[in-house]
Amino acid sequence: MKYDVAVIGAGVLGGWTALNLVRMGKRVVLIDSWGAGNSRSSSGGETRVIRCMYGEDSIYIDFVLRAFEMWRAFEREQNLSLLQKTGALWMCSTSDEYVAASIPHLEQNGLAVEALSTGQAAARYPQVDFDGVRSVYLEHEAGYLRARSSCRAVVEAFEMEGGTVLTSDVQAPFLLHGHVDRVDLTDNTLVAEQFVFCCGAWLPKLFPDLLGQSITVTKQDVFYFGVPAGEERFAASRLPVWVDLDERIMYGVPDVGGRGFKAGDDTRGDQFDPSTDQRVPTPGNLTRTRNYLARRFPALRGAPLLESRVCQYANSPDGHLVIDRVPGADNVW
């Protein structure tokens, strides 16, 4: 079958792109090497933070506001609960310039940000030790998404509404006279009018000449720690998602569904191959994270490790998203 659009990559960007296209009446095929929400994907895992704090980059606030609308509408359509509003606790141990630059944009859009003294924050969140924190802000509309469940739900809706889903490896497109009319799959060839590559960390391999030197993929370790028996202060109903802006940016999500207290380090890790490299935490990262928890969340000192995951970041030179046509191709995005 010939498709109007082939979308490659079934993460959050690819899944929503495909769903919106099929709702526009297009014949769409969505292809992923391992399926939506798989353990290699950047959109896999239990949770992902969603927030509007993006410094001076107001375009991302617009994106997130639109995302909130779309997720809420999707939840109502599908009778699902995917987006959980907990607020985001921003702890600024060094400069609060990033948060301060965000606040005017949030306020212009009616989003509440509450500045707290460390004393007020400690009274409200006694499970957190604010020693060394200079300023605290609570972003009320932030929270987390159930990442893997969300991606799978979007792809299921896409398929129910007439889209086609394939699990297959996609080879680099062959450009002929400024146009791509087909791509090779694992055991077949697919023909389409338009191609949209939403492959994140796999883009440098698919477009080595174009992106091989400009998008770098880094390994990012995430840990889930067991909370003490009967302890409710680390549940999502009692603690927001949190970000600690220090020399290293730490972030996390409270215990969701008994899976553990999530903590990660936003510092860029070593270069990483998302297809073939072992997803084993880098030595020293677990110790560093344990030491951080013992200082910032004292009740979690010595907490058992329940699970570790390795994700990846696809980093552009300036940290911004890359959304564009492929140069020299009139139908490839």
Side-chain angles (χ1 to χ4, degrees):
M1 180 178 179
K2 184 176 181 180
Y3 297 93
D4 295 323
V5 188
V7 179
I8 297 91
V12 68
L13 295 178
W16 272 105
T17 298
L19 179 59
N20 281 317
L21 286 167
V22 84
R23 287 178 172 178
M24 293 167 61
K26 304 296 183 182
R27 293 172 299 169
V28 186
V29 59
L30 176 63
I31 313 160
D32 194 279
S33 296
W34 297 283
N38 71 80
S39 292
R40 288 180 173 94
S41 68
S42 297
S43 297
E46 293 301 310
T47 56
R48 289 292 184 274
V49 173
I50 184 167
R51 39 88 180 192
C52 285
M53 291 278 193
Y54 277 96
E56 296 180 341
D57 297 319
S58 61
I59 188 173
Y60 293 110
I61 296 175
D62 296 337
F63 286 172
V64 176
L65 288 171
R66 178 68 176 134
F68 279 141
E69 293 175 3
M70 294 174 72
W71 281 118
R72 291 304 189 199
F74 185 76
E75 286 179 314
R76 291 190 296 269
E77 291 169 6
Q78 306 297 321
N79 193 28
L80 295 171
S81 178
L82 301 169
L83 172 59
Q84 304 296 319
K85 186 173 78 170
T86 63
L89 187 66
W90 291 82
M91 298 174 281
C92 304
S93 299
T94 52
S95 170
D96 63 0
E97 180 179 348
Y98 183 83
V99 175
S102 303
I103 291 175
H105 300 296
L106 269 65
E107 291 179 341
Q108 288 170 12
N109 287 282
L111 300 175
V113 179
E114 185 179 359
L116 302 172
S117 68
T118 53
Q120 290 171 324
R124 189 177 302 186
Y125 304 111
Q127 63 274 62
V128 183
D129 186 340
F130 291 92
D131 184 48
V133 175
R134 296 172 55 185
S135 54
V136 183
Y137 300 86
L138 181 63
E139 179 191 346
H140 284 272
E141 295 302 314
Y144 66 87
L145 278 154
R146 299 180 184 272
R148 175 172 52 238
S149 299
S150 297
C151 288
R152 288 179 176 173
V154 168
V155 172
E156 287 171 6
F158 163 76
E159 198 165 19
M160 288 291 292
E161 295 185 32
T164 300
V165 178
L166 298 179
T167 302
S168 180
D169 193 31
V170 177
Q171 304 302 310
F174 178 70
L175 183 65
L176 181 65
H177 304 305
H179 192 81
V180 171
D181 63 356
R182 66 192 64 219
V183 293
D184 290 332
L185 308 181
T186 302
D187 54 5
N188 208 336
T189 298
L190 184 138
V191 178
E193 293 291 332
Q194 301 277 337
F195 294 87
V196 184
F197 287 84
C198 299
C199 304
W202 284 267
L203 284 174
K205 284 189 171 182
L206 285 166
F207 300 92
D209 295 337
L210 179 65
L211 299 172
Q213 301 301 314
S214 58
I215 290 183
T216 57
V217 181
T218 55
K219 178 174 178 285
Q220 306 298 142
D221 297 340
V222 178
F223 302 100
Y224 292 80
F225 296 92
V227 302
E231 175 63 83
E232 297 183 353
R233 294 181 303 163
F234 295 100
S237 59
R238 301 281 295 276
L239 183 67
V241 303
W242 52 273
V243 183
D244 194 339
L245 301 178
D246 204 340
E247 292 181 2
R248 302 180 77 92
I249 300 174
M250 303 295 293
Y251 71 95
V253 178
D255 187 16
V256 175
R259 295 301 297 266
F261 184 85
K262 178 181 177 179
D265 188 339
D266 190 58
T267 308
R268 301 306 187 258
D270 298 330
Q271 289 205 18
F272 187 69
D273 187 315
S275 292
T276 61
D277 280 352
Q278 300 292 328
R279 293 183 179 263
V280 178
T282 301
N285 282 355
L286 176 57
T287 299
R288 184 183 299 112
T289 305
R290 281 194 184 282
N291 291 339
Y292 170 80
L293 288 186
R295 175 170 59 88
R296 187 66 72 213
F297 302 94
L300 297 180
R301 182 188 301 274
L305 179 67
L306 301 184
E307 184 179 344
S308 63
R309 296 187 63 82
V310 173
C311 189
Q312 64 268 334
Y313 288 166
N315 306 280
S316 67
D318 61 5
H320 288 290
L321 296 176
V322 178
I323 305 174
D324 207 345
R325 288 185 191 270
V326 170
D330 61 9
N331 68 328
V332 183
W333 294 83

